[in-house]
Amino acid sequence: KMAGSSAPWIGSAYLFLQSTCKTIVLPSLYESSQKKPSVFKALKLALADSTGSVNGVDMLKVHCSHPHLIVQLKFCKQENCRRFLQSYREGTLQESLQNHLQLSLAMTAVPLEMELKAGNKHLDNMLKDEDRCLECIYREKPDRLRDEEITELEECLKSLIVHQSINNNTAVKDCASLNSPSLPYPSQGSSLSPQVTFIFQGQQFANRTLTLDDHQKFAKLVSKKWKQVGRSLQKNCRALRDPVIDNLALEYDREGLYEQAYQLLLRFIQSEGKKATIARLIAALEENGLISLAEELLGLHSNEDCF
């Protein structure tokens, strides 16, 4: 029981956001270094409105999963979560976010659709049963600390609030160092691993950290075998240990294989940093018979229809 525990009340949920206007694509706006601070500001202010406190709910990560912007939320008090649910149920959170996005982005209107999930539970289907929603959110403990990007955006927002006299163009310029993509991918030629080279099919290749191009090709081509590759990677990656892979399958089931594979490698890159190398991924692909994909990542052929 939630009330019977002496530990602090902590829960997690995912807020899915999508604009119903075809010309407004929220993930693209968030991926823009110029628009990102404005979108973040609108999210922060709307969430503060929903709980009545700037610290009522914490954003841990913002995922860009076209056409959705997905915000991972952390609640540290049951009463804050209850207020958030009431605001969500009554439509005031949606109205607030639409208004803040309109102001922050200087647009005429930003119509939204919203969906709330905790694990594999769609909370929109049970909003009238608030206690049940609270129970689902409470069962889903946060699986990450707040991203560095979110912390930087928080600091940027504080700076904007403190220096409200700065004009909007300068303020956005100050935040432009928070470039997309959200992951700090190193340059293609970076030599960041103690293992300088590795052998694949009798050839020697320079080792390097994974790039955005590697990430996207993997997600596009690995198909149904993404779980098997994940289980190979998990042997030396704490962030992928059970039940993380199964949770990813459930959480991104609606988005399909590309997003599931993308999120798997995202976890690997985020947790391993500079140690997330091409050599480790190639070894995992070899272990699961995905030779064509390994060759694609190493530039051995240009045919993307590997499978």
Side-chain angles (χ1 to χ4, degrees):
K1 294 283 184 180
M2 291 184 294
S5 174
S6 58
W9 196 96
I10 296 176
S12 181
Y14 286 88
L15 181 63
F16 287 70
L17 304 169
Q18 179 181 359
S19 171
T20 55
C21 176
K22 290 182 179 180
T23 59
I24 301 173
V25 184
L26 291 179
S28 297
L29 290 172
Y30 191 79
E31 286 169 340
S32 161
S33 59
Q34 289 191 325
K35 300 292 186 183
K36 181 180 290 185
S38 299
V39 176
F40 179 81
K41 178 183 177 183
L43 288 169
K44 184 73 177 174
L45 294 176
L47 290 170
D49 289 346
S50 73
T51 60
S53 168
V54 174
N55 300 314
V57 56
D58 192 16
M59 281 185 279
L60 299 182
K61 171 72 179 175
V62 178
H63 303 270
C64 292
S65 179
H66 291 260
H68 292 96
L69 199 66
I70 308 172
V71 188
Q72 185 174 2
L73 304 173
K74 174 185 175 183
F75 301 92
C76 290
K77 290 183 179 179
Q78 187 180 147
E79 55 265 36
N80 287 336
C81 190
R82 195 179 291 277
R83 281 196 288 267
F84 169 85
L85 286 170
Q86 290 169 349
S87 176
Y88 181 86
R89 184 178 64 245
E90 293 165 4
T92 52
L93 172 63
Q94 182 174 352
E95 184 180 351
S96 174
L97 183 53
Q98 287 176 163
N99 291 338
H100 285 302
L101 283 169
Q102 183 178 341
L103 289 170
S104 295
L105 296 169
M107 292 181 171
T108 52
V110 186
L112 293 175
E113 284 183 352
M114 307 176 95
E115 185 180 356
L116 191 63
K117 292 175 67 176
N120 62 351
K121 301 291 185 183
H122 293 257
L123 302 187
D124 298 71
N125 300 330
M126 58 179 84
L127 287 173
K128 291 182 179 179
D129 190 345
E130 192 173 284
D131 287 336
R132 187 181 171 199
C133 289
L134 285 166
E135 189 70 49
C136 292
I137 292 171
Y138 177 72
R139 282 202 301 264
E140 291 297 317
K141 301 302 181 193
D143 59 359
R144 66 164 73 242
L145 298 175
R146 182 198 287 182
D147 267 28
E148 288 183 9
E149 178 187 67
I150 297 292
T151 302
E152 289 172 356
L153 285 164
E154 291 272 14
E155 292 302 317
C156 183
L157 180 56
K158 287 178 187 175
S159 176
L160 290 179
I161 292 171
V162 171
H163 302 97
Q164 287 183 351
S165 60
I166 300 174
N167 74 39
N168 288 337
N169 289 334
T170 307
V172 168
K173 201 171 180 180
D174 290 342
C175 295
S177 60
L178 303 170
N179 288 324
S180 293
S182 58
L183 283 174
Y185 292 101
S187 61
Q188 189 83 17
S190 296
S191 178
L192 296 172
S193 170
Q195 181 190 351
V196 179
T197 61
F198 66 101
I199 303 295
F200 173 73
Q201 293 187 329
Q203 295 185 54
Q204 191 173 47
F205 292 88
N207 198 12
R208 54 176 172 76
T209 46
L210 293 170
T211 66
L212 177 59
D213 187 53
D214 297 327
H215 196 165
Q216 292 174 334
K217 281 183 179 178
F218 171 81
K220 180 180 178 182
L221 298 173
V222 71
S223 191
K224 294 179 180 179
K225 286 196 172 182
W226 70 270
K227 272 190 174 185
Q228 292 168 247
V229 176
R231 300 205 189 284
S232 294
L233 290 172
Q234 78 176 182
K235 296 171 187 175
N236 298 302
C237 178
R238 186 181 299 274
L240 294 181
R241 290 184 185 165
D242 293 334
V244 170
I245 294 172
D246 288 334
N247 286 346
L248 285 174
L250 287 170
E251 187 176 325
Y252 295 97
D253 178 62
R254 190 178 70 171
E255 286 76 28
L257 291 173
Y258 177 93
E259 191 62 28
Q260 289 169 329
Y262 188 92
Q263 293 297 328
L264 171 82
L265 204 58
L266 178 67
R267 294 290 177 91
F268 178 67
I269 292 169
Q270 285 178 328
S271 66
E272 298 297 293
K274 294 178 181 180
K275 294 179 182 178
T277 62
I278 189 70
R280 291 175 69 181
L281 181 56
I282 294 298
L285 293 174
E286 276 193 286
E287 189 174 314
N288 292 285
L290 294 168
I291 303 303
S292 291
L293 177 48
E295 290 173 347
E296 183 71 30
L297 292 177
L298 294 172
L300 295 180
H301 57 71
S302 58
N303 177 19
E304 293 193 357
D305 299 321
C306 303
F307 304 102

